[in-house]
Amino acid sequence: DARVTQTPRHKVTEMGQEVTMRCQPILGHNTVFWYRQTMMQGLELLAYFRNRAPLDDSGMPKDRFSAEMPDATLATLKIQPSEPRDSAVYFCASGLGAVGQETQYFGPGTRLLVL
Amino acid sequence: QKEVEQDPGPLSVPEGAIVSLNCTYSNSAFQYFMWYRQYSRKGPELLMYTYSSGNKEDGRFTAQVDKSSKYISLFIRDSQPSDSATYLCAMKSSTGANSKLTFGKGITLSVRP
């Protein structure tokens, strides 16, 4: 049963610390998305990649957030320095990115709390 | 005004009720419409996918799109406690790799046994 995996599942950190979240997309999927979910804003797209190249990161605060895909099996989202307002659930999703293959498969999320 | 607006809820119904969930949108370029279901402490999963206007039925679920009114709905017949979850509408303007989804904030549904 192919699934998107995310680590860590939970993270508590102090303001100013670096946070790194990791995602392993489903094998064979070439499109990867990073979302942030809060009660106030709902689900917001931060960045997405196709074939490891960033297509759009306009939803991401550039001064503190960065997203990369070192290889096809790993996507990372970093926050440095972290702030309390970054507290949220961060989801990674992957898909085939082809016409007619629109489904995005979400991981279980990383719950981040910045104190 | 956000591009996609969804009733905030929460919504509580008795088992067996018909549930109607709705979203409105402002971007007339949206052509692809989806409903995702998200159980507590899980990631969203695709429930229904429709293109343009019309209805689509899948078991107890019916998705309806009215592009002239910029309004989409999800109907759940004979609701079950297992339907208790947050439902998010999502939509996009084009297909393929270079298109991105815009989500509603979601509505939490509780079906009472």
Side-chain angles (χ1 to χ4, degrees):
Chain A
D1 185 20
R3 298 184 185 187
V4 175
T5 58
Q6 290 185 247
T7 57
R9 293 293 309 277
H10 300 88
K11 178 73 176 180
V12 180
T13 191
E14 293 187 343
M15 182 174 63
Q17 296 298 305
E18 177 178 302
V19 175
T20 298
M21 289 169 272
R22 294 177 174 81
C23 167
Q24 182 173 11
I26 293 173
L27 191 64
H29 284 187
N30 62 0
T31 310
V32 175
F33 304 82
W34 281 107
Y35 291 92
R36 175 172 63 185
Q37 188 175 40
T38 62
M39 291 291 291
M40 290 297 294
Q41 299 297 328
L43 200 60
E44 301 174 288
L45 179 66
L46 297 175
Y48 72 106
F49 296 78
R50 175 172 167 80
N51 294 328
R52 297 174 56 198
L55 286 190
D56 188 338
D57 61 2
S58 60
M60 203 164 64
K62 301 290 193 303
D63 56 338
R64 300 184 299 108
F65 284 60
S66 62
E68 295 180 346
M69 280 200 73
D71 61 60
T73 65
L74 177 64
T76 63
L77 180 67
K78 290 186 181 181
I79 309 174
Q80 169 63 21
S82 58
E83 297 181 1
R85 59 180 167 153
D86 301 328
S87 298
V89 183
Y90 291 81
F91 288 104
C92 173
S94 72
L96 288 170
V99 174
Q101 308 265 356
E102 309 296 342
T103 304
Q104 294 184 20
Y105 297 84
F106 282 76
T110 294
R111 292 183 171 271
L112 174 65
L113 177 61
V114 183
L115 302 174
Chain B
Q1 182 191 8
K2 297 199 79 170
E3 275 191 301
V4 179
E5 299 278 0
Q6 187 170 3
D7 294 340
L11 182 62
S12 179
V13 301
E15 184 175 353
I18 296 174
V19 176
S20 172
L21 308 175
N22 310 297
C23 286
T24 58
Y25 62 95
S26 57
N27 188 345
S28 57
F30 287 143
Q31 297 186 69
Y32 300 87
F33 304 92
M34 283 144 267
W35 285 94
Y36 278 78
R37 178 175 61 194
Q38 184 176 19
Y39 289 115
S40 180
R41 308 187 83 82
K42 303 284 188 184
E45 57 180 350
L46 183 66
L47 186 62
M48 298 286 282
Y49 176 93
T50 53
Y51 168 68
S52 196
S53 285
N55 292 357
K56 183 175 182 180
E57 189 173 318
D58 184 0
R60 296 183 295 108
F61 299 89
T62 300
Q64 193 172 76
V65 175
D66 182 349
K67 289 186 69 180
S68 62
S69 303
K70 298 190 179 67
Y71 190 89
I72 71 170
S73 300
L74 178 70
F75 298 97
I76 307 174
R77 290 184 300 280
D78 187 24
S79 56
Q80 302 294 309
S82 59
D83 297 327
S84 298
T86 296
Y87 291 80
L88 303 101
C89 61
M91 47 199 79
K92 60 182 180 178
S93 57
S94 60
T95 189
N98 296 335
S99 60
K100 54 185 180 181
L101 288 174
T102 302
F103 282 85
K105 287 180 68 174
I107 182 169
T108 298
L109 170 68
S110 175
V111 181
R112 308 186 301 272

